[in-house]
Amino acid sequence: MLVSPQNCTTEYDILAWAIKLRQPVSLVVILLCAVILFTTPPSWRGNASIGLLMDMSGLALVVLAAFGRIWSSLYISGYKEDRVVAEGPYAIVRNPLYVCSFVGAIGLGLASRHLAVLGLVVLAFLLYYPVVVLAEERNLQRKFGQDYEAYRQRVPRFCPKRFPLVEPDAYPLRPRHVRRSLQEILWFFWSYLILHLAVVLQSDSVVAAARHLGAH
């Protein structure tokens, strides 16, 4: 099937806008989650065991995501525009940073104890970020040509088929880029603490309201 230059231009414009709107879309999702969090009761407010399980599962996923992003950042930071990075986690999947962010977002959704928040986060990732990844991959294809095409054919986009350990004995790091990546990772833990505090305050409010009604 022939593809006209006009269709190619339209597709490129859509993909370019997907990258540009990444942060605004993420902010909208965060605001919607905040509205749900502070206007609706937790999904399991009457079952402390399930709530604790969600907290612990959420924290485990956040820690796993943070570790994965640190590992990925050590390889990609400062080299994204220079060459095709195919070592470390990039030998397992082509987009380990997005995979780890998705895992961390699920963790935060669990920590919120709101099924609606968890569902919204998962839905936003599944609907929007594949388009962002496609846009970035098209840019890499144009930039690196056959080198990236060979890498794309060899390594899956999201779901690993194997777990090769491709690690050089020495790897040059660019401290400024690594520092910025670590600062971004800290937001996972800050978000978890904020969510946990919000859940505790909301639970205290529910208990106080129940006691007030009981007194009358």
Side-chain angles (χ1 to χ4, degrees):
M1 182 177 65
L2 297 177
V3 180
S4 68
Q6 182 179 1
N7 289 338
C8 290
T9 302
T10 301
E11 180 187 21
Y12 176 78
D13 290 340
I14 292 173
L15 295 177
W17 274 106
I19 294 178
K20 291 180 180 179
L21 293 176
R22 178 173 51 188
Q23 290 185 346
V25 169
S26 298
L27 181 60
V28 169
V29 173
I30 291 172
L31 291 176
L32 289 175
C33 288
V35 170
I36 295 172
L37 184 66
F38 290 106
T39 59
T40 61
S43 300
W44 287 283
R45 61 180 178 178
N47 193 318
S49 298
I50 294 181
L52 179 61
L53 178 62
M54 293 182 72
D55 282 343
M56 298 304 296
S57 300
L59 180 58
L61 291 179
V62 167
V63 171
L64 180 62
F67 173 80
R69 285 191 63 92
I70 290 173
W71 187 29
S72 303
S73 298
L74 293 177
Y75 284 91
I76 196 66
S77 295
Y79 297 101
K80 186 176 182 179
E81 302 298 327
D82 297 343
R83 63 179 178 84
V84 176
V85 178
E87 300 87 10
Y90 290 89
I92 301 173
V93 291
R94 300 199 302 270
N95 301 278
L97 285 171
Y98 284 112
V99 172
C100 293
S101 293
F102 183 51
V103 171
I106 292 176
L108 293 176
L110 289 173
S112 73
R113 299 191 186 184
H114 285 68
L115 280 178
V117 171
L118 177 61
L120 177 60
V121 169
V122 171
L123 186 64
F125 256 91
L126 294 181
L127 291 181
Y128 186 74
Y129 277 91
V131 181
V132 175
V133 170
L134 179 61
E136 293 182 348
E137 290 188 345
R138 292 292 174 85
N139 290 336
L140 292 170
Q141 178 70 55
R142 284 190 291 268
K143 188 177 183 66
F144 299 112
Q146 289 301 319
D147 288 342
Y148 184 77
E149 180 60 22
Y151 171 70
R152 190 181 71 83
Q153 294 293 332
R154 186 173 71 254
V155 180
R157 177 178 288 168
F158 293 121
C159 300
K161 297 178 181 178
R162 54 194 181 91
F163 294 87
L165 191 61
V166 181
E167 293 183 329
D169 293 333
Y171 195 85
L173 301 180
R174 296 180 177 177
R176 181 177 60 180
H177 294 279
V178 174
R179 174 177 53 81
R180 290 177 180 174
S181 298
L182 291 175
Q183 289 173 340
E184 293 174 358
I185 291 167
L186 283 176
W187 279 106
F188 274 112
F189 293 101
W190 282 117
S191 299
Y192 178 85
L193 291 174
I194 292 171
L195 280 172
H196 191 67
L197 178 61
V199 169
V200 170
L201 291 176
Q202 192 176 49
S203 298
D204 289 344
S205 298
V206 170
V207 171
R211 288 177 177 173
H212 179 74
L213 290 175
H216 290 77

mmCIF file of all heavy atoms in Angstrom, residues 84 90-92 94 137 141 145-157 161-162:
data_model
loop_
_atom_site.group_PDB
_atom_site.id
_atom_site.type_symbol
_atom_site.label_atom_id
_atom_site.label_comp_id
_atom_site.label_asym_id
_atom_site.label_seq_id
_atom_site.Cartn_x
_atom_site.Cartn_y
_atom_site.Cartn_z
ATOM 1 N N VAL A 84 23.106 4.374 19.395
ATOM 2 C CA VAL A 84 22.108 3.405 19.846
ATOM 3 C C VAL A 84 22.653 2.700 21.083
ATOM 4 O O VAL A 84 23.673 2.015 21.012
ATOM 5 C CB VAL A 84 21.793 2.376 18.748
ATOM 6 C CG1 VAL A 84 20.815 1.324 19.272
ATOM 7 C CG2 VAL A 84 21.227 3.059 17.515
ATOM 8 N N TYR A 90 18.892 -2.007 28.251
ATOM 9 C CA TYR A 90 18.538 -1.772 26.849
ATOM 10 C C TYR A 90 18.836 -2.980 25.969
ATOM 11 O O TYR A 90 18.467 -2.978 24.794
ATOM 12 C CB TYR A 90 19.272 -0.533 26.330
ATOM 13 C CG TYR A 90 18.734 0.725 26.945
ATOM 14 C CD1 TYR A 90 19.254 1.214 28.141
ATOM 15 C CD2 TYR A 90 17.676 1.406 26.374
ATOM 16 C CE1 TYR A 90 18.741 2.350 28.734
ATOM 17 C CE2 TYR A 90 17.148 2.545 26.949
ATOM 18 C CZ TYR A 90 17.682 3.008 28.136
ATOM 19 O OH TYR A 90 17.156 4.132 28.721
ATOM 20 N N ALA A 91 19.479 -3.985 26.528
ATOM 21 C CA ALA A 91 19.628 -5.255 25.822
ATOM 22 C C ALA A 91 18.427 -6.159 26.058
ATOM 23 O O ALA A 91 18.272 -7.184 25.383
ATOM 24 C CB ALA A 91 20.906 -5.959 26.281
ATOM 25 N N ILE A 92 17.578 -5.792 27.017
ATOM 26 C CA ILE A 92 16.404 -6.605 27.374
ATOM 27 C C ILE A 92 15.149 -6.062 26.700
ATOM 28 O O ILE A 92 14.390 -6.801 26.079
ATOM 29 C CB ILE A 92 16.230 -6.638 28.900
ATOM 30 C CG1 ILE A 92 17.491 -7.226 29.551
ATOM 31 C CG2 ILE A 92 14.996 -7.445 29.284
ATOM 32 C CD1 ILE A 92 17.490 -7.139 31.057
ATOM 33 N N ARG A 94 13.621 -2.205 24.625
ATOM 34 C CA ARG A 94 14.079 -0.949 24.019
ATOM 35 C C ARG A 94 13.707 0.266 24.847
ATOM 36 O O ARG A 94 14.296 1.340 24.683
ATOM 37 C CB ARG A 94 13.484 -0.800 22.611
ATOM 38 C CG ARG A 94 13.858 -1.912 21.658
ATOM 39 C CD ARG A 94 13.666 -1.510 20.213
ATOM 40 N NE ARG A 94 12.331 -1.107 19.860
ATOM 41 C CZ ARG A 94 11.374 -1.928 19.426
ATOM 42 N NH1 ARG A 94 11.608 -3.236 19.351
ATOM 43 N NH2 ARG A 94 10.182 -1.473 19.089
ATOM 44 N N GLU A 137 10.761 6.414 18.796
ATOM 45 C CA GLU A 137 11.418 5.394 17.987
ATOM 46 C C GLU A 137 11.535 5.827 16.532
ATOM 47 O O GLU A 137 12.532 5.521 15.863
ATOM 48 C CB GLU A 137 10.657 4.075 18.104
ATOM 49 C CG GLU A 137 10.798 3.431 19.481
ATOM 50 C CD GLU A 137 10.217 2.036 19.530
ATOM 51 O OE1 GLU A 137 9.466 1.672 18.592
ATOM 52 O OE2 GLU A 137 10.509 1.305 20.493
ATOM 53 N N GLN A 141 14.946 6.106 14.481
ATOM 54 C CA GLN A 141 15.088 5.445 13.182
ATOM 55 C C GLN A 141 15.649 6.422 12.150
ATOM 56 O O GLN A 141 16.543 6.063 11.370
ATOM 57 C CB GLN A 141 13.734 4.918 12.728
ATOM 58 C CG GLN A 141 13.743 4.255 11.361
ATOM 59 C CD GLN A 141 14.475 2.928 11.374
ATOM 60 O OE1 GLN A 141 14.142 2.054 12.160
ATOM 61 N NE2 GLN A 141 15.452 2.767 10.498
ATOM 62 N N GLY A 145 19.289 5.210 11.497
ATOM 63 C CA GLY A 145 19.139 4.364 10.327
ATOM 64 C C GLY A 145 19.239 2.878 10.614
ATOM 65 O O GLY A 145 18.551 2.332 11.472
ATOM 66 N N GLN A 146 20.130 2.205 9.877
ATOM 67 C CA GLN A 146 20.251 0.755 9.948
ATOM 68 C C GLN A 146 20.701 0.261 11.325
ATOM 69 O O GLN A 146 20.330 -0.836 11.749
ATOM 70 C CB GLN A 146 21.223 0.261 8.877
ATOM 71 C CG GLN A 146 20.677 0.356 7.460
ATOM 72 C CD GLN A 146 19.398 -0.462 7.293
ATOM 73 O OE1 GLN A 146 19.298 -1.580 7.805
ATOM 74 N NE2 GLN A 146 18.429 0.094 6.576
ATOM 75 N N ASP A 147 21.503 1.056 12.023
ATOM 76 C CA ASP A 147 21.940 0.651 13.365
ATOM 77 C C ASP A 147 20.742 0.477 14.293
ATOM 78 O O ASP A 147 20.654 -0.512 15.035
ATOM 79 C CB ASP A 147 22.907 1.682 13.946
ATOM 80 C CG ASP A 147 24.265 1.652 13.273
ATOM 81 O OD1 ASP A 147 24.565 0.622 12.617
ATOM 82 O OD2 ASP A 147 25.015 2.629 13.393
ATOM 83 N N TYR A 148 19.809 1.434 14.228
ATOM 84 C CA TYR A 148 18.636 1.326 15.096
ATOM 85 C C TYR A 148 17.689 0.255 14.591
ATOM 86 O O TYR A 148 17.065 -0.452 15.389
ATOM 87 C CB TYR A 148 17.894 2.656 15.202
ATOM 88 C CG TYR A 148 16.744 2.576 16.176
ATOM 89 C CD1 TYR A 148 16.979 2.605 17.544
ATOM 90 C CD2 TYR A 148 15.436 2.413 15.724
ATOM 91 C CE1 TYR A 148 15.935 2.489 18.451
ATOM 92 C CE2 TYR A 148 14.386 2.291 16.623
ATOM 93 C CZ TYR A 148 14.641 2.327 17.977
ATOM 94 O OH TYR A 148 13.615 2.207 18.866
ATOM 95 N N GLU A 149 17.584 0.093 13.260
ATOM 96 C CA GLU A 149 16.699 -0.933 12.719
ATOM 97 C C GLU A 149 17.152 -2.320 13.140
ATOM 98 O O GLU A 149 16.331 -3.183 13.497
ATOM 99 C CB GLU A 149 16.669 -0.840 11.188
ATOM 100 C CG GLU A 149 15.774 -1.866 10.514
ATOM 101 C CD GLU A 149 14.318 -1.773 10.926
ATOM 102 O OE1 GLU A 149 13.884 -0.698 11.391
ATOM 103 O OE2 GLU A 149 13.612 -2.800 10.804
ATOM 104 N N ALA A 150 18.461 -2.560 13.127
ATOM 105 C CA ALA A 150 18.979 -3.855 13.576
ATOM 106 C C ALA A 150 18.696 -4.062 15.059
ATOM 107 O O ALA A 150 18.334 -5.169 15.485
ATOM 108 C CB ALA A 150 20.480 -3.929 13.297
ATOM 109 N N TYR A 151 18.837 -2.998 15.837
ATOM 110 C CA TYR A 151 18.539 -3.072 17.271
ATOM 111 C C TYR A 151 17.050 -3.328 17.492
ATOM 112 O O TYR A 151 16.664 -4.150 18.338
ATOM 113 C CB TYR A 151 18.974 -1.771 17.941
ATOM 114 C CG TYR A 151 18.544 -1.625 19.378
ATOM 115 C CD1 TYR A 151 19.096 -2.407 20.386
ATOM 116 C CD2 TYR A 151 17.579 -0.687 19.735
ATOM 117 C CE1 TYR A 151 18.700 -2.271 21.704
ATOM 118 C CE2 TYR A 151 17.178 -0.541 21.053
ATOM 119 C CZ TYR A 151 17.739 -1.330 22.038
ATOM 120 O OH TYR A 151 17.349 -1.197 23.331
ATOM 121 N N ARG A 152 16.204 -2.675 16.709
ATOM 122 C CA ARG A 152 14.752 -2.834 16.843
ATOM 123 C C ARG A 152 14.323 -4.255 16.524
ATOM 124 O O ARG A 152 13.416 -4.804 17.161
ATOM 125 C CB ARG A 152 14.038 -1.845 15.909
ATOM 126 C CG ARG A 152 12.536 -1.759 16.134
ATOM 127 C CD ARG A 152 11.907 -0.793 15.153
ATOM 128 N NE ARG A 152 11.921 -1.366 13.824
ATOM 129 C CZ ARG A 152 11.015 -2.227 13.374
ATOM 130 N NH1 ARG A 152 10.008 -2.620 14.154
ATOM 131 N NH2 ARG A 152 11.069 -2.700 12.147
ATOM 132 N N GLN A 153 14.954 -4.856 15.543
ATOM 133 C CA GLN A 153 14.614 -6.226 15.172
ATOM 134 C C GLN A 153 15.074 -7.227 16.231
ATOM 135 O O GLN A 153 14.475 -8.300 16.389
ATOM 136 C CB GLN A 153 15.271 -6.577 13.831
ATOM 137 C CG GLN A 153 14.738 -5.797 12.650
ATOM 138 C CD GLN A 153 13.295 -6.131 12.332
ATOM 139 O OE1 GLN A 153 12.819 -7.232 12.603
ATOM 140 N NE2 GLN A 153 12.564 -5.170 11.755
ATOM 141 N N ARG A 154 16.097 -6.863 16.979
ATOM 142 C CA ARG A 154 16.704 -7.793 17.938
ATOM 143 C C ARG A 154 16.084 -7.722 19.323
ATOM 144 O O ARG A 154 15.980 -8.731 20.025
ATOM 145 C CB ARG A 154 18.208 -7.486 18.030
ATOM 146 C CG ARG A 154 19.004 -8.462 18.870
ATOM 147 C CD ARG A 154 20.499 -8.191 18.774
ATOM 148 N NE ARG A 154 20.906 -6.967 19.456
ATOM 149 C CZ ARG A 154 21.249 -5.843 18.849
ATOM 150 N NH1 ARG A 154 21.234 -5.755 17.523
ATOM 151 N NH2 ARG A 154 21.608 -4.774 19.547
ATOM 152 N N VAL A 155 15.658 -6.522 19.745
ATOM 153 C CA VAL A 155 15.204 -6.299 21.122
ATOM 154 C C VAL A 155 13.736 -5.867 21.121
ATOM 155 O O VAL A 155 13.359 -4.959 20.377
ATOM 156 C CB VAL A 155 16.082 -5.221 21.808
ATOM 157 C CG1 VAL A 155 15.614 -4.989 23.242
ATOM 158 C CG2 VAL A 155 17.547 -5.634 21.780
ATOM 159 N N PRO A 156 12.879 -6.481 21.942
ATOM 160 C CA PRO A 156 11.456 -6.109 21.980
ATOM 161 C C PRO A 156 11.242 -4.728 22.585
ATOM 162 O O PRO A 156 12.088 -4.213 23.297
ATOM 163 C CB PRO A 156 10.826 -7.206 22.850
ATOM 164 C CG PRO A 156 11.946 -7.732 23.674
ATOM 165 C CD PRO A 156 13.180 -7.609 22.842
ATOM 166 N N ARG A 157 10.082 -4.163 22.290
ATOM 167 C CA ARG A 157 9.784 -2.799 22.732
ATOM 168 C C ARG A 157 9.526 -2.726 24.234
ATOM 169 O O ARG A 157 10.122 -1.919 24.940
ATOM 170 C CB ARG A 157 8.563 -2.263 21.975
ATOM 171 C CG ARG A 157 8.127 -0.877 22.404
ATOM 172 C CD ARG A 157 6.950 -0.412 21.573
ATOM 173 N NE ARG A 157 7.366 -0.097 20.221
ATOM 174 C CZ ARG A 157 6.509 0.106 19.215
ATOM 175 N NH1 ARG A 157 5.217 -0.041 19.418
ATOM 176 N NH2 ARG A 157 6.963 0.423 18.020
ATOM 177 N N LYS A 161 11.667 -10.948 25.964
ATOM 178 C CA LYS A 161 11.591 -12.353 25.571
ATOM 179 C C LYS A 161 12.722 -13.158 26.205
ATOM 180 O O LYS A 161 12.636 -14.370 26.320
ATOM 181 C CB LYS A 161 11.653 -12.465 24.048
ATOM 182 C CG LYS A 161 10.492 -11.792 23.333
ATOM 183 C CD LYS A 161 10.647 -11.899 21.819
ATOM 184 C CE LYS A 161 9.498 -11.193 21.108
ATOM 185 N NZ LYS A 161 9.664 -11.245 19.618
ATOM 186 N N ARG A 162 13.769 -12.477 26.582
ATOM 187 C CA ARG A 162 14.908 -13.105 27.248
ATOM 188 C C ARG A 162 15.582 -12.040 28.111
ATOM 189 O O ARG A 162 15.246 -10.862 28.023
ATOM 190 C CB ARG A 162 15.895 -13.688 26.228
ATOM 191 C CG ARG A 162 16.365 -12.681 25.198
ATOM 192 C CD ARG A 162 17.066 -13.346 24.026
ATOM 193 N NE ARG A 162 17.534 -12.346 23.067
ATOM 194 C CZ ARG A 162 18.722 -11.784 23.091
ATOM 195 N NH1 ARG A 162 19.581 -12.116 24.053
ATOM 196 N NH2 ARG A 162 19.079 -10.894 22.194
#
